[in-house]
Amino acid sequence: MKPAGVTLSPESFRDAVISPYGAPISSLLVRSSGLTSGSDPHGRQIYIIQPIILYRKYKPTAIFTGTALLPENRVLVCKNDGTVEAIINEPEAGDDVELLDGLLSPGFINAHCHIELSHFKGIIPEHTGLVNFVGQVMTRREEKNAEEKLAAMQAAQQELWESGTVAVGDICNTTDSFIIKQNSPLYWHNFIEVTGFVDAAAQKRLIDAEQILKQFLQTSSMVNGQASMVPHAPYSVSKALFQLLNDRTANQIITIHNQESTAEDELYKTKSGDFLAFYKNFGIDISSFEPTAKSGLQSWLPYFNNHQKIISVHNSFTSQADIDFAQNKLSFCLCPNANLYIENVLPPVELLVQNDCNIILGTDSYASNHQLNMMAEIDTIQKNFPLIPLATILQWATLNGAKALGIEKDFGSFEKGKRPGLVLIKDGQAKKV
């Protein structure tokens, strides 16, 4: 390759173009682009050769691939658009290697978020308990105007992106978030959430949610992602509505809030606990509800028998009996900072690990978290469960999450042909590269 500024004939220019992958990695940095700038005294065209970067080579302190931490002195080679080409040994990399101070990981998959609740940041106090928290969300959603809500969602999206998140499983009760998802740099799986604890209202609740889903699907070409309909939680979805959702979501990815409070299990086991006062306060008639004498998880999971791919979120009070009952049918999504914010508890992380459960991570919303930064969730798990290796937790935040959302062909790991995004981790902080 001749240096920039050397003049070549069209034939020489053709020969100077970099060969396809198969040449040494060190030569796969630039190609030459011919730009006509005039003619020489003999009337021949002059081509000015300028370098165009085709590949970028990153040498961080360490690389996490999506499944494992690699030994030192490895280099990640990516195309200019972020597509992974290879991971090679440093001596093979040649020149122009970019040195990064920190651990390089694929972009994070935030499997549970409510970006439309971003205007709740700092409004609901910590440690209220779930029942009180849900009541405040229901009664205070409209305290901010449309402009304030939009600004809050835009700020939330910016934080997600800058802190290394590349894909989000986002709960939607409205179409409020649609505007920020147009041309978003993030991938969004929009979970259109259905609620209704009275059987008689089940069909209407489903129809209302289908109208929201329809708007997302009709404009899917403008939104980077997918959409599906999902139940909210066992304490807010009736038997009839569960049955309708089972029929409506065959072979789809669904998510549900599970066992976020002991009150949920009390409701299903004995029709007792804090939710009874909640229903009375909101005028919800639960006279037709019959307890199952089983936990919340063991009560709702049997409703879904149409090959759904299920993400169970929070799981703060999930027991060994629940895990045995689930029989590896679930992805357990943990949002530890939200659990601390609302109930001041942590999920049974060690129990889930001991049972080889499929674990993924999320942030929940600004209503129940001080940030939407996946690294903060990882830090909390490391602090409270120090025996769990960092590589294991990072896999929950990357490849496991990508598989749960069905996007592992593009995200989650540094494999050739993927565009998983790059996030640099150092001293408990993360930022996109």
Side-chain angles (χ1 to χ4, degrees):
M1 173 64 66
K2 298 226 179 154
V6 174
T7 58
L8 297 174
S9 67
E11 292 76 19
S12 298
F13 170 72
R14 178 197 63 209
D15 294 338
V17 175
I18 291 290
S19 60
Y21 187 66
I25 287 288
S26 58
S27 70
L28 288 174
L29 279 172
V30 299
R31 67 177 172 84
S32 295
S33 175
L35 301 175
T36 302
S37 64
S39 301
D40 68 8
H42 302 286
R44 293 173 298 189
Q45 284 186 316
I46 300 173
Y47 291 83
I48 307 300
I49 308 305
Q50 295 181 332
I52 297 178
I53 302 297
L54 283 182
Y55 291 84
R56 298 184 69 174
K57 300 181 289 187
Y58 303 97
K59 181 185 177 297
T61 307
I63 293 177
F64 174 71
T65 65
T67 58
L69 284 170
L70 295 184
E72 295 181 1
N73 301 320
R74 297 296 181 90
V75 175
L76 175 67
V77 182
C78 294
K79 293 181 180 179
N80 202 37
D81 65 356
T83 302
V84 174
E85 187 63 35
I87 296 176
I88 59 174
N89 293 320
E90 184 180 13
E92 302 170 21
D95 300 326
D96 300 310
V97 175
E98 300 178 50
L99 301 180
L100 300 176
D101 185 15
L103 170 66
L104 191 63
S105 167
F108 296 138
I109 312 299
N110 186 339
H112 183 74
C113 189
H114 300 247
I115 203 163
E116 69 180 30
L117 298 182
S118 296
H119 61 287
F120 270 99
K121 187 174 184 179
I123 290 179
I124 300 177
E126 295 184 59
H127 309 157
T128 62
L130 179 66
V131 177
N132 181 284
F133 174 84
V134 173
Q136 292 203 53
V137 171
M138 291 176 62
T139 57
R140 304 180 69 177
R141 287 185 72 108
E142 304 307 319
E143 287 187 0
K144 302 289 185 178
N145 61 38
E147 291 75 16
E148 290 171 319
K149 290 180 180 180
L150 177 59
M153 288 188 289
Q154 290 172 331
Q157 177 178 239
Q158 190 68 18
E159 181 186 7
L160 286 164
W161 177 241
E162 290 181 353
S163 61
T165 291
V166 294
V168 184
D170 192 48
I171 303 297
C172 307
N173 298 104
T174 69
T175 57
D176 288 353
S177 65
F178 178 77
I179 189 170
I180 71 155
K181 293 169 181 174
Q182 299 179 42
N183 304 311
S184 171
L186 298 166
Y187 173 95
W188 300 89
H189 190 117
N190 301 288
F191 291 115
I192 312 305
E193 195 170 69
V194 188
T195 63
F197 203 61
V198 178
D199 280 342
Q203 189 65 51
K204 182 181 185 306
R205 292 300 184 108
L206 189 74
I207 291 172
D208 291 344
E210 283 180 332
Q211 293 303 310
I212 296 173
L213 177 66
K214 184 178 180 180
Q215 292 183 61
F216 274 97
L217 293 177
Q218 283 180 335
T219 50
S220 60
S221 62
M222 298 177 65
V223 177
N224 182 23
Q226 298 293 327
S228 57
M229 195 176 298
V230 302
H232 169 242
Y235 58 81
S236 64
V237 176
S238 69
K239 179 179 179 179
L241 189 51
F242 269 126
Q243 292 169 338
L244 289 171
L245 282 168
N246 179 51
D247 294 335
R248 182 64 176 78
T249 61
N251 301 302
Q252 295 182 18
I253 301 171
I254 64 172
T255 185
I256 182 171
H257 297 74
N258 175 66
Q259 294 174 305
E260 202 173 348
S261 167
T262 56
E264 182 181 316
D265 282 345
E266 291 168 352
L267 175 67
Y268 272 87
K269 287 180 178 180
T270 61
K271 198 175 181 179
S272 63
D274 292 343
F275 273 114
L276 298 187
F278 172 87
Y279 298 136
K280 183 178 181 180
N281 183 51
F282 282 93
I284 299 172
D285 179 10
I286 65 164
S287 58
S288 62
F289 172 76
E290 297 182 1
T292 62
K294 300 177 182 179
S295 72
L297 184 149
Q298 294 178 47
S299 299
W300 66 258
L301 182 55
Y303 285 117
F304 294 102
N305 56 19
N306 275 331
H307 308 288
Q308 289 92 346
K309 191 175 180 180
I310 304 174
I311 298 173
S312 177
V313 181
H314 293 304
N315 316 293
S316 301
F317 297 93
T318 298
S319 68
Q320 181 65 57
D322 294 321
I323 294 171
D324 293 340
F325 184 86
Q327 297 180 333
N328 296 319
K329 296 177 182 178
L330 305 175
S331 291
F332 289 93
C333 182
L334 307 182
C335 308
N337 287 329
N339 303 146
L340 290 171
Y341 192 106
I342 297 174
E343 288 271 343
N344 199 26
V345 298
L346 285 168
V349 179
E350 292 174 324
L351 182 64
L352 295 171
V353 171
Q354 290 165 8
N355 283 271
D356 198 26
C357 295
N358 186 51
I359 300 174
I360 59 180
L361 300 181
T363 61
D364 211 345
S365 73
Y366 273 143
S368 59
N369 208 330
H370 297 289
Q371 65 277 311
L372 302 184
N373 186 330
M374 285 285 285
M375 195 64 215
E377 307 299 321
I378 294 169
D379 290 342
T380 294
I381 294 172
Q382 280 197 291
K383 176 183 177 181
N384 290 278
F385 305 97
L387 296 182
I388 301 176
L390 175 60
T392 297
I393 305 172
L394 287 174
Q395 182 169 333
W396 301 345
T398 55
L399 185 57
N400 284 15
K403 289 180 177 178
L405 293 182
I407 54 174
E408 69 272 22
K409 289 183 179 180
D410 298 308
F411 298 98
S413 61
F414 290 142
E415 297 178 70
K416 183 178 172 63
K418 290 188 176 185
R419 293 180 60 187
L422 306 178
V423 55
L424 188 66
I425 300 169
K426 183 183 180 183
D427 298 331
Q429 302 292 318
K431 63 179 182 179
K432 74 176 183 69
V433 176

